[in-house]
Amino acid sequence: MAKTILVPFDGSSNANKALDWAISLAKVSGFKILLLNVQPSFRTVHAKTFFNKSDLEEYQQQLFKEATEGVEDKLKASEVPYNLKLDIGDPKERIVEEVRNSAKGEDRIELIVMGSRGTNPVFSGVLGSVSYAIINAGVCPVTIIPQEKK
């Protein structure tokens, strides 16, 4: 059974810092990395009216490729075992569900390493709303890489 570090990844500079930190940790611990990019579902009345399902899926794939551009090269160069995964839905729900589902499989997620973007005005002084939700879910230990103050 492989132990895994989950890195929620949105392509931001802080997500890249979290990935770098996770790679360093994986090298010394022998863990795998699961890089998870969550895209919105776009399953709204307006989206369904103007776009067909395959167009939306193509757009989600495009967003995934843009967010993860260069990441696979970084992971290959690190020589750390890894998987890249695209998921669709609410990031808070999908991250928690990924950890819960991993408990049933061979690649159990033991740790989440994520950046804090701090875009929500309520939590931006300390954590981003996704970071805050993941910590409160209590599904596994979480390491938050803080956003640099400018």
Side-chain angles (χ1 to χ4, degrees):
M1 183 186 297
K3 293 183 178 182
T4 303
I5 300 170
L6 173 63
V7 181
F9 194 85
D10 63 3
S12 68
S13 63
N14 220 41
N16 274 293
K17 289 176 190 170
L19 177 58
D20 291 342
W21 201 90
I23 288 171
S24 297
L25 181 61
K27 283 182 176 181
V28 298
S29 66
F31 282 26
K32 288 178 55 173
I33 290 180
L34 171 59
L35 187 131
L36 178 66
N37 176 257
V38 182
Q39 292 297 329
S41 69
F42 299 114
R43 302 273 188 251
T44 65
V45 174
H46 299 295
K48 289 179 182 179
T49 301
F50 296 109
F51 304 101
N52 64 41
K53 184 178 177 181
S54 66
D55 287 342
L56 291 175
E57 289 171 354
E58 185 178 316
Y59 184 57
Q60 290 162 328
Q61 284 291 329
Q62 178 186 340
L63 292 173
F64 171 73
K65 287 177 185 173
E66 289 172 6
T68 60
E69 187 175 343
V71 169
E72 194 157 16
D73 292 337
K74 180 188 284 193
L75 286 163
K76 283 179 184 175
S78 75
E79 299 181 352
V80 170
Y82 70 91
N83 287 319
L84 297 178
K85 183 174 181 180
L86 166 63
D87 207 340
I88 307 298
D90 178 77
K92 301 166 201 166
E93 293 172 9
R94 301 312 315 145
I95 293 166
V96 169
E97 192 65 26
E98 190 69 38
V99 174
R100 289 187 176 141
N101 288 341
S102 78
K104 303 169 192 166
E106 293 185 20
D107 296 333
R108 183 183 179 104
I109 295 170
E110 300 287 337
L111 174 67
I112 299 171
V113 176
M114 63 190 302
S116 172
R117 291 187 61 197
T119 56
N120 182 318
V122 175
F123 303 117
S124 64
V126 182
L127 294 173
S129 61
V130 174
S131 303
Y132 187 78
I134 300 306
I135 290 169
N136 281 327
V139 290
C140 72
V142 180
T143 298
I144 304 294
I145 306 304
Q147 188 174 21
E148 287 184 20
K149 301 295 180 194
K150 295 182 180 187

